[in-house]
Amino acid sequence: MLYKLERNYQCMHKTRLLLILTLLISLLAGCGNRGIPVIKQELLDQKMSVLMLSSSGLSASAKDVLGQTLKNWRDGNSIAYEWVKDLNALDDNVDSKLKSKTYDYIYVVGNELFPSANEKMALGLTTSKWTFLQSQPFAEGSAITVNEQASLLQLDLQQIETMKNKAIQDLLFQNVVIEWVTQSERPIPSAWAPSEEADHIVLLNNNNQWFQQLTFQVHQHHAAWVIFYSPVSEDQLQKAKSLGVSVMDFAGALTADLNWTQIFDNRLAMMKTHAWQKGIQNYNPQELKELKMK
């Protein structure tokens, strides 16, 4: 009898230890996943879902707004999201997400990401709606192919050209002597550099001596400005500045101060009303704080 009681006690003790061990394993597993922003496909299927892809070139203030925006979308509107930030291009990690999960909306924030995002979109890895959000006036090579899946929010090109034209006209009105540097396929508008002033233009096409030629013309004409009309490298800009004249990179002459809070508020309203539209749209006056010459 005593043996049987002792044996029963041992069995109960082992069972209790097994239950405690199982509970500890469960608790440890829960702690191990805490704080890791992994969204299962079931949750994405239940809620409106967003994949946010943002460039490393965004300002700190823009990143702060974006982070707070996503939290507000989740907490206030039950939007499931994943955020891949500080990208220089869409990488294998993004590829994996596009192949393994389905999102209602994909946002690409920052011009630097447009070329690689354009390539990923063309592969047809997802049927999601893509929205490209321009962070600054377009640089060479950052344009996208706007197809049935894509929406582009950009700065007003007409406004940009108007500002650039005014800047040049102001210089010409002051009778400032300008030397132009460009490519042959990007001729200087005749209103700025008439044909009789062709000796004020330096072509970069296959011209290893462009800087020597520019130096000669600056000194010969006593020029006060050098304006690069075609896209230019930082090294070329610095060479021109070494001549002691004012230098303008015309392709990158403007900078934009965008109201990111308003931009994302408007995207939220669009998602809630299912009003997404393909094609190119300009930022409205509330979304653009200021566009100015650098």
Side-chain angles (χ1 to χ4, degrees):
M1 181 70 177
L2 183 60
Y3 170 76
K4 187 179 291 186
L5 288 172
E6 184 177 349
R7 188 171 181 181
N8 287 340
Y9 174 77
Q10 289 176 347
C11 288
M12 291 174 62
H13 184 66
K14 288 180 179 179
T15 301
R16 186 179 302 167
L17 285 175
L18 183 60
L19 288 171
I20 292 173
L21 183 60
T22 302
L23 180 60
L24 284 173
I25 291 173
S26 299
L27 288 172
L28 287 172
C31 291
N33 288 327
R34 188 173 299 164
I36 300 176
V38 175
I39 301 177
K40 294 184 177 180
Q41 185 61 49
E42 304 92 86
L43 182 59
L44 289 174
D45 292 339
Q46 294 169 12
K47 297 182 176 183
M48 187 184 299
S49 56
V50 164
L51 176 61
M52 185 69 68
L53 309 171
S54 62
S55 162
S56 60
L58 287 182
S59 66
S61 59
K63 292 176 185 178
D64 290 343
V65 170
L66 183 47
Q68 188 58 51
T69 291
L70 290 171
K71 291 177 183 177
N72 293 343
W73 285 2
R74 179 193 61 198
D75 298 341
N77 297 275
S78 298
I79 295 176
Y81 75 85
E82 292 192 78
W83 181 17
V84 186
K85 55 186 174 180
D86 295 327
L87 290 167
N88 295 314
L90 272 61
D91 54 19
D92 292 341
N93 179 36
V94 175
D95 260 1
S96 176
K97 292 182 182 299
L98 295 177
K99 291 175 181 177
S100 63
K101 298 177 182 177
T102 302
Y103 306 90
D104 294 302
Y105 299 96
I106 299 173
Y107 290 92
V108 181
V109 189
N111 300 31
E112 300 91 340
L113 301 183
F114 287 8
S116 60
N118 199 44
E119 292 175 3
K120 301 296 183 191
M121 184 175 63
L123 293 175
L125 301 175
T126 175
T127 57
S128 306
K129 296 178 175 67
W130 293 72
T131 300
F132 293 77
L133 299 174
Q134 198 181 64
S135 55
Q136 289 297 330
F138 270 128
E140 194 78 2
S142 66
I144 68 163
T145 301
V146 181
N147 60 19
E148 295 294 316
Q149 279 185 266
S151 173
L152 167 65
L153 265 74
Q154 67 174 17
L155 296 155
D156 187 334
L157 296 179
Q158 185 57 54
Q159 185 180 358
I160 290 173
E161 291 308 309
T162 298
M163 287 193 68
K164 287 182 175 180
N165 184 63
K166 183 179 183 305
I168 300 301
Q169 293 298 339
D170 287 346
L171 289 178
L172 296 176
F173 182 75
Q174 300 169 35
N175 292 318
V176 168
V177 179
I178 301 172
E179 300 300 319
W180 297 88
V181 185
T182 190
Q183 303 278 349
S184 58
E185 63 270 19
R186 291 175 64 93
I188 311 302
S190 59
W192 298 346
S195 57
E196 63 268 19
E197 296 182 6
D199 59 339
H200 286 265
I201 298 173
V202 175
L203 294 179
L204 292 170
N205 302 65
N206 301 316
N207 183 5
N208 294 327
Q209 304 300 314
W210 72 269
F211 182 63
Q212 288 87 331
Q213 183 182 345
L214 177 63
T215 302
F216 171 76
Q217 291 181 193
V218 165
H219 293 153
Q220 182 187 42
H221 302 139
H222 305 289
W225 277 83
V226 170
I227 300 179
F228 287 86
Y229 190 64
S230 61
V232 61
S233 69
E234 185 60 31
D235 180 60
Q236 289 169 316
L237 280 176
Q238 292 305 318
K239 277 188 174 183
K241 289 177 181 179
S242 71
L243 297 175
V245 296
S246 298
V247 176
M248 180 189 295
D249 170 14
F250 198 74
L254 296 177
T255 183
D257 184 9
L258 291 165
N259 185 344
W260 288 107
T261 299
Q262 186 65 55
I263 290 169
F264 288 119
D265 282 350
N266 291 346
R267 294 313 96 207
L268 175 61
M270 174 274 302
M271 290 188 291
K272 291 171 68 175
T273 57
H274 304 286
W276 182 91
Q277 292 182 334
K278 67 179 180 181
I280 299 173
Q281 304 155 54
N282 291 332
Y283 287 119
N284 65 40
Q286 289 72 44
E287 294 169 333
L288 174 61
K289 293 180 181 177
E290 186 180 21
L291 185 65
K292 60 183 178 182
M293 300 294 294
K294 290 181 181 179

